[in-house]
Amino acid sequence: MKSIIEPFKIKSVEPIYFTSKEERIAILKEAFYNPFLIHSNKVLIDLLTDSGTSAMSSNQWAGIMLGDESYAGSPSFFRFEATVQKLTGMPLVIPTHQGRASEKILFSIVGGKGKYFLSNTLFDTTRANIEFTGAEGIDLLCEEGKHTGIPAPFKGNVDIALLQETIREKGAENIPLCIITVTNNSGGGQPVSMANIKAVKKICTENNIPLFIDACRFAENCYFIKLREEGYASKSIPDIAAELFSYADGCTMSAKKDAFANIGGFIALHDKSLALQCRNLLVITEGFPTYGGLAGRDLEAIAIGLVEVMDEHYLHYRIRSIEYLANKLIAAGVPVMQPAGGHAVYLDAKAFLNHIPVDQYPGQALVSELYLHGGIRSVEIGSLMFGKYDEDGKLVPAHMELVRLAIPRRVYTQSHIDYVAEVIIEVFNKRSEIKGMQIIEEAQVLRHFTAKLHPVE
Ligand SMILES: *Cc1c(COP(=O)(O)O)cnc(C)c1O
C-alpha cells in the first residue's frame, strides 16, 4: 500500500518557534508549570487544542474577501444559511460567535431548576451552561467508553438501558432535551454509531423528548460510521450526515472544529416557536439574526469549511494521521487510549508515570516534561482538570489521568508528527526520572486554566 499523503499543498507558511532546553526550563518555571500560561511563540508544536486552530483553505480565504458586511440581509448569511440547511435538513439557522454562545441561548430558554438533560457525555461548556440555569446534566456513556485499554468501534455510544431507566426515574416531562455529542470530545473523541443515534431517537419519540446533536465533529463521526458500521461503506459522507441529522430535532455546533474556521458557531432546528425565542435572545446577546456574533467574512469561511470537511480524501488523511501517531506510540509500549479518537491521541499518564501518585498529578508532570524535552504543548485531562476536594481537604481524583494531544486540522505534516512520537518515546524511556507536581495556587472553578504548580522536591 502507498503512503497516505496530506491531501493539500501549502501556499502560505507560518514560522514555528525553536527554543533551547535551557530557555524552556526558565519559561516553564515562569509559567508555573501550566501550559495555558506559556506564550504560544515559545511553543514548537502546539497540541493544546484543535479548536479554532485549523488551517483555512485558499477557497476559504477567497471567501473571506467575498464577505459582505451589511448589518442586515447580507448575501454571506444566505450562503451560510443554505449550506447549513442542506447539511442538516433543518430549516431554521441561527449564527453565533462560537459553540458556547449557541448553548447559552438554547439552555437559557429550555433549562431551569428541576430539569434534566441526558447525554452520552456533555462537553464542559455544555454542562456549565446547563448548570448555570439550575438544571442538571446527566452523562449516560456506554460501559466500554469508560475504559482506555478496551478497543471498541463506538465508544461514544449512549447506554440505551440506562437512558430508559433515567427517563423513568426523572420523568419525561422534566427532560427538555436529550443531547448526543459527536464525536464524544470529553470521552477521547470516540464516535457514536448510527444505530445508537436511531435507538436514542426512538426512545425520545416515545417519550416526547426532542433530540439535539452537539455537532462539533460531525464529519469525523460520519467517517467512523462509514469505516466501522455495517451498511455504510459505500455511502457518501453528505448522505451519512443527512441521515445522522435526520434523527435530530435540532443541533448546536462550534465552527471552530469541523468547519475549519477560527471562530463561529450556530444553532439549527425545526421548531419555529423555539427558534423565535432563540432569535429574541440572540439580538440582545450576539447580534441581528443575519450575522449572530460574526462578521460576514466568517459566515463565508464557515459555509465553505462545512462542505470541505466532508471530502473523503481529507477525512481519510485526518483519521489515519491520528491513528498513525497512536500506533507509533503503542508499538513503543507507550500507554495510549485505544482505539485512537477522531481529533486527538490520549496518553494514559497513570500508567505512563506509575511511580507518581494521583495527588501529585502525573498528567501535569507529563505535560511539563513533553514541553521541556521537545517544546510540545499538550493538556492534562485528569485530576487537575476534574479533581475535587472532600471535607478534609483530601483530593478526590478524576476517573482517569490523561494527557491529550489534540491535532489541529491541516496544520502539521507527517514529519512534525514523527517528531512528536520521538519526543514522547524518549520521555517514556526516562520516565522514572520524572517528578510529581504540587499546586501552589488555584482558583475555585476551572482551576486548570490558571493554577500555579511546582515539582515535588
Ligand atoms: C468546543 C466544543 C464546544 C464549545 O464550543 P466553543 O466554540 O469552544 O464555545 C461544545 N461542545 C463540544 C463537543 C466541543 O468540542
Side-chain angles (χ1 to χ4, degrees), residues 120-426:
N120 50 346
T121 308
L122 296 162
F123 181 65
D124 344 1
T125 60
T126 322
R127 173 175 289 279
N129 273 302
I130 287 169
E131 289 175 356
F132 192 71
T133 71
E136 200 181 310
I138 302 177
D139 294 342
L140 306 169
L141 187 63
C142 63
E143 191 54 36
E144 61 268 29
K146 297 174 193 164
H147 304 276
T148 57
I150 304 174
F154 291 104
K155 291 172 79 169
N157 280 357
V158 176
D159 184 326
I160 296 294
L162 202 53
L163 174 67
Q164 282 172 311
E165 202 182 304
T166 312
I167 294 173
R168 262 199 304 276
E169 187 188 312
K170 303 293 181 194
E173 66 284 5
N174 299 318
I175 304 169
L177 300 176
C178 288
I179 302 139
I180 299 181
T181 311
V182 300
T183 58
N184 184 14
N185 185 4
S186 308
Q190 300 292 327
V192 183
S193 72
M194 196 72 89
N196 190 252
I197 296 170
K198 226 160 129 174
V200 171
K201 175 61 182 173
K202 186 163 176 282
I203 293 166
C204 283
T205 307
E206 285 162 10
N207 289 281
N208 208 12
I209 300 170
L211 174 63
F212 269 58
I213 305 282
D214 180 341
C216 294
R217 297 178 181 80
F218 75 94
E220 290 169 5
N221 201 97
C222 288
Y223 195 67
F224 279 121
I225 288 174
K226 184 175 170 103
L227 288 182
R228 297 180 183 172
E229 193 161 353
E230 217 188 304
Y232 290 92
S234 61
K235 293 207 168 136
S236 74
I237 299 297
D239 283 351
I240 297 172
E243 183 182 345
L244 187 155
F245 285 111
S246 76
Y247 301 123
D249 299 279
C251 67
T252 56
M253 178 160 175
S254 167
K256 301 175 74 171
K257 322 295 176 40
D258 263 357
F260 299 119
N262 303 125
I263 196 75
F266 60 82
I267 308 168
L269 68 177
H270 290 280
D271 181 334
K272 282 191 183 132
S273 134
L274 182 55
L276 183 69
Q277 294 177 75
C278 288
R279 284 188 177 127
N280 288 343
L281 250 186
L282 186 82
V283 175
I284 55 170
T285 57
E286 293 282 295
F288 189 72
T290 62
Y291 69 85
L294 294 169
R297 53 180 168 268
D298 300 323
L299 294 167
E300 294 278 358
I302 295 166
I304 295 162
L306 284 173
V307 177
E308 278 181 1
V309 77
M310 292 192 281
D311 173 54
E312 286 190 25
H313 292 293
Y314 162 73
L315 286 168
H316 183 48
Y317 141 82
R318 171 72 176 161
I319 299 304
R320 180 60 199 139
S321 61
I322 312 285
E323 190 182 54
Y324 172 82
L325 174 58
N327 287 351
K328 277 201 151 194
L329 298 175
I330 291 164
V334 177
V336 166
M337 181 183 253
Q338 296 190 52
H343 67 289
V345 171
Y346 293 71
L347 305 177
D348 183 343
K350 211 188 277 187
F352 195 116
L353 299 175
N354 58 16
H355 61 289
I356 300 181
V358 289
D359 63 358
Q360 293 182 10
Y361 305 102
Q364 195 68 9
L366 183 52
V367 166
S368 295
E369 192 58 33
L370 295 180
Y371 178 72
L372 277 183
H373 193 75
I376 297 166
R377 179 154 69 168
S378 54
V379 66
E380 190 251 26
I381 305 213
S383 291
L384 181 64
M385 190 177 272
F386 295 124
K388 301 216 159 76
Y389 296 109
D390 66 13
E391 288 125 50
D392 306 324
K394 204 166 162 289
L395 178 78
V396 183
H399 288 302
M400 296 190 269
E401 304 296 334
L402 302 176
V403 168
R404 186 182 76 178
L405 307 157
I407 314 294
R409 295 170 183 76
R410 305 190 294 207
V411 170
Y412 293 116
T413 63
Q414 185 170 344
S415 63
H416 291 119
I417 298 298
D418 286 333
Y419 169 85
V420 169
E422 285 159 19
V423 168
I424 294 169
I425 292 165
E426 281 173 21

